[in-house]
């Protein structure tokens, strides 16, 4: 698959900081997951990719706390 680098990718990359979350919202099937995966490739630190439509993610976020998220 050919990945098209988006202007938005650079803007998001500039704002990424350690210990901060990046949330990406948008319509279905517009490339949010592809964009996040490209950002993660460039990011040198640890990352966690969660999908809000995944049942395990929903269960995880229902009991959300900083300690709980760090453990997963």
């Amino acid at each position: 698959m050919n990945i098209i680098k988006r202007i938005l990718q650079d803007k998001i990359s500039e704002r990424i900081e350690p210990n901060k979350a990046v949330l990406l919202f948008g319509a279905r099937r517009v490339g949010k997951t592809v964009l996040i995966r490209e950002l993660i490739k460039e990011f040198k630190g640890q990352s966690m990719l969660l999908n809000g439509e995944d049942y395990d993610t929903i269960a995880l976020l229902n009991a959300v706390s900083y300690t709980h998220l760090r453990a997963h």
Side-chain angles (χ1 to χ4, degrees), residues 16-19 38-47:
I16 293 176
E17 298 178 32
N19 300 315
E38 290 301 306
L39 289 165
I40 288 172
K41 283 182 192 176
E42 296 174 5
F43 184 64
K44 303 297 183 220
Q46 289 184 324
S47 64

Side-chain angles (χ1 to χ4, degrees), residues 56-67:
D56 290 334
T57 300
I58 293 168
L60 175 67
L61 295 176
N62 277 334
V64 73
S65 72
Y66 178 76
T67 305

